Amino acid sequence: MADFRHSNEPTRKAYGLLHIGPYPMIGSKFGPLMGIVQSAGLPITEVLGVFHDDQSTVAQSELRSHACVCFAPGTEISADLDLELVEIPGGEYVVGTHKGPYEGLHSSWGEFVTSVIGSGVKLGSMPCFEIYRNDCSQVPESELLTDMYTKVE
């Protein structure tokens, strides 16, 4: 997973549930998030994981991330849904794609960041995020596609 591309991304307004702890454990928040969104009948356009802290400087038990969704423009979000607004800054990002089970994402992130830094691209500040391009309940694990985004300085 050494390939990456540059992408100019818009600012995203995502809504989600906070997870505190090791990043690979964020998956526990997606079930409750989808339950909230589906019961409200809201139109999802993207499903994301947003990672706020640098793992090299923050203890695993204190890492902050959000399991999020984006909605179609103009969707009204009721305050009683208890979803947090997470604004993801727009701008230049580098993007890599992981294919396969989510358990392999940690390794793919390491390869991705190493490739980007090795190419001379200077990484910007957090947050980083993932967009889950297909539904894990609809496709085999081997076909899952996850795009990994990190900001360029």
Side-chain angles (χ1 to χ4, degrees):
M1 205 297 339
D3 294 337
F4 63 89
R5 63 194 180 279
H6 289 261
S7 181
N8 191 15
E9 294 295 316
T11 296
R12 285 178 166 82
K13 288 188 177 184
Y15 294 84
L17 299 175
L18 177 66
H19 168 72
I20 299 192
Y23 285 156
M25 304 308 293
I26 190 176
S28 66
K29 293 294 182 176
F30 282 100
L33 173 63
M34 292 307 174
I36 291 168
V37 171
Q38 290 170 353
S39 69
L42 296 171
I44 298 171
T45 59
E46 291 179 320
V47 179
L48 306 91
V50 182
F51 307 95
H52 303 285
D53 299 309
D54 181 343
Q55 296 183 82
S56 67
T57 60
V58 176
Q60 290 288 309
S61 62
E62 297 175 14
L63 292 171
R64 297 168 302 126
S65 57
H66 278 87
C68 291
V69 292
C70 291
F71 300 113
T75 301
E76 294 292 325
I77 310 304
S78 173
D80 66 345
L81 291 180
D82 291 327
L83 298 177
E84 291 184 43
L85 172 62
V86 179
E87 195 159 331
I88 303 167
E92 186 181 354
Y93 283 80
V94 286
V95 184
T97 300
H98 166 81
K99 183 176 182 182
Y102 297 138
E103 291 80 17
L105 275 165
H106 181 75
S107 175
S108 285
W109 268 105
E111 292 173 25
F112 169 56
V113 169
T114 299
S115 295
V116 171
I117 292 170
S119 75
V121 173
K122 195 159 187 176
L123 298 180
S125 60
M126 302 297 281
C128 296
F129 64 99
E130 299 170 345
I131 297 180
Y132 309 105
R133 295 295 179 189
N134 47 17
D135 185 338
C136 63
S137 68
Q138 304 291 318
V139 300
E141 280 190 335
S142 61
E143 297 302 312
L144 290 172
L145 295 174
T146 306
D147 286 342
M148 303 173 291
Y149 292 76
T150 189
K151 198 140 177 50
V152 173
E153 189 173 278

